[in-house]
Amino acid sequence: MVDFIDEVSFRVCGGRGGDGCVSFRREKFVPKGGPDGGDGGDGGSVILRANSNLSTLLDLRHRKKYQAGNGKSGMGKCRDGKRGENIVILVPPGTLICDVDQNTLIEDLKVSGQECIVARGGKGGRGNAHFATSTCQVPDFAEKGSLPESRHLKLELKLLADVGLVGFPNAGKSTLLSKISSARPKIADYPFTTTTPHLGIVHTKNDITFVAADIPGIIKNGHMGKGLGDRFLRHAERCRVLVFLIEAHTGEIQSTYETLLNELQLYDDSFLVKPRIIALTKIDLLHDREKQRLPTFLYKQSCYPVSAVTGEGVEPLLHAIVHVLFEAVT
Ligand SMILES: Nc1nc2c(ncn2[C@@H]2O[C@H](COP(=O)(O)OP(=O)(O)O)[C@@H](O)[C@H]2O)c(=O)[nH]1
Ligand SMILES: [Mg+2]
């Protein structure tokens, strides 16, 4: 089965190693004391770490390069230079890290907390204090810091949609998705059709991010389960919450809801145990009085009137989705 893919690419570069220092002790009455040049500090590394609080690569889209700190040079009196700062980039678990130039997989960060060093910093050079020997008591040289690793990375994440938007054609799924989501991850090829399910990343006002999928392909009268609907519904199967979209102005809200439930159940009983929310769509087409007559519950499920066109009701709907998602997690 084909998955949704979220993808970013950027360059990572470790810090240079600091140079070793050439220095000699200065003491009264001793014109040239022994060598006391300290070592350079190691350069910082760039590290990728999986973190289960993240679910997309979205936050990494805007930066093209990550550069760790350079090591500082060594100093006299055998003082070593400071290490360069590491950079830690957080990614969601399930992120594949690939080297673009070598076309290889570096690591698959599967579990939260797992780390991978993607660009090592250079080693600090040794100061001249290391190089005094019986034949060379006044070494006037030190090592240079070494060069860091640098790489062009591509990160790839297979996204699972948290929330599936289901409804018959024309219910307003695509329009609502484009209204609530800020980004559209690239979708892996669906070779068999020009109709693709869409995925959007939703950022709510209180900084919660979730992934919503528009699940097309549900058709009335038991057509589902064959061909397209079948493929798309497999996505819905993995969603944690389903939002049922039903046009509010048709006067057939309840029967449409029943038909939808029935269609889903024909495909798989497990849909009926998923938490669900009902959105009554296109309410901008209704007069105020008609809006007031909309049902607030259908079979004990709350209904949320929305208009993707005017934005009315969208915030309360998102709020409800987050609430149910959160309950669904714990
Ligand atoms: N007036 C109004 N029209 C809408 C709204 N949402 C969608 N539509 C229209 O309804 C039609 C079907 O919408 P679409 O999002 O493509 O439905 P989908 O088939 O469920 O994806 C399109 O012509 C949309 O412009 C809405 O909130 N208000
Ligand atoms: Mg659509």
Side-chain angles (χ1 to χ4, degrees), residues 11 15 26 29 34 58 68 75 77 89 93 140 150 153 156 166 185 208 210 212 244 265 267 276 280 299:
R11 188 160 270 292
R26 285 157 169 271
F29 315 118
L58 193 66
M75 293 159 290
K77 298 185 185 163
I89 304 172
D140 56 356
S150 163
L153 296 184
E156 232 180 66
V166 297
I208 293 173
F210 63 85
F244 284 54
Q265 187 181 17
Y267 179 81
R276 70 183 96 104
L280 305 176
Y299 298 102

Side-chain angles (χ1 to χ4, degrees), residues 129-188:
H130 287 274
F131 299 108
T133 60
S134 51
T135 50
C136 174
Q137 295 186 350
V138 200
D140 56 356
F141 57 87
E143 267 178 355
K144 289 246 172 250
S146 69
L147 291 175
E149 288 178 336
S150 163
R151 261 174 163 156
H152 190 187
L153 296 184
K154 187 176 85 179
L155 270 49
E156 232 180 66
L157 174 71
K158 286 187 178 172
L159 287 176
L160 290 184
D162 305 300
V163 177
L165 306 182
V166 297
F168 293 118
N170 235 30
K173 301 180 292 295
S174 306
T175 313
L176 183 67
L177 185 71
S178 58
K179 176 81 182 174
I180 61 178
S181 63
S182 54
R184 304 305 167 73
K186 183 175 118 189
I187 301 214

Side-chain angles (χ1 to χ4, degrees), residues 177-227:
L177 185 71
S178 58
K179 176 81 182 174
I180 61 178
S181 63
S182 54
R184 304 305 167 73
K186 183 175 118 189
I187 301 214
D189 284 346
Y190 268 77
F192 54 90
T193 174
T194 51
T195 323
T196 55
H198 286 284
L199 202 70
I201 295 169
V202 184
H203 284 292
T204 66
K205 280 189 177 147
N206 31 9
D207 254 357
I208 293 173
T209 304
F210 63 85
V211 179
D214 162 5
I215 314 279
I218 304 177
I219 304 163
K220 268 181 203 162
N221 304 326
H223 287 96
M224 205 200 64
K226 299 171 192 71

